[in-house]
Amino acid sequence: MAHPLGTQPAPRRTPLSAEERVRSEANFASLVAEQLIANGRFRVSADTPEMVELFQAVARRVGETLQRPVVSYANGRYIVITFGQEEAPAEAPAQYRGDRQAAPR
């Protein structure tokens, strides 16, 4: 196929093999966990559905490892991984109501 003068064909990306995906997920999980602990977020280029899926799996693994909610946001160019909001303990509302006791009659 001929290309216009002075242009290069777009590079073709080879999909990750199953082994490469497993290794990538494990290696990126430790990096992302370190960045979340240090900076509270991690941002990386993820411009293909395959890369978005990979980093969403990484985010799930990091959340399990750190035992904290971790969320990811993708926009087609980047994916941002950050800590999610932690749920309040179930007994918190009851404690709050207990603090607001009615005055003695």
Side-chain angles (χ1 to χ4, degrees), residues 3-84:
H3 297 282
L5 188 61
T7 63
Q8 295 289 326
R12 288 188 179 179
R13 295 186 182 180
T14 305
L16 296 174
S17 69
E19 180 185 338
E20 289 170 328
R21 183 174 168 88
V22 169
R23 283 196 334 252
S24 298
E25 191 177 317
N27 290 329
F28 279 124
S30 61
L31 173 69
V32 171
E34 289 175 17
Q35 289 297 309
L36 286 183
I37 291 168
N39 303 317
R41 67 179 235 152
F42 177 83
R43 179 179 167 216
V44 65
S45 175
D47 57 353
T48 65
E50 181 184 31
M51 294 309 292
V52 171
E53 289 175 18
L54 172 67
F55 280 102
Q56 286 175 336
V58 168
R60 283 190 294 275
R61 182 180 283 212
V62 169
E64 292 167 1
T65 300
L66 298 179
Q67 296 182 342
R68 290 185 61 184
V70 172
V71 295
S72 60
Y73 304 93
N75 68 3
R77 293 184 66 196
Y78 299 100
I79 187 166
V80 175
I81 301 172
T82 187
F83 287 118

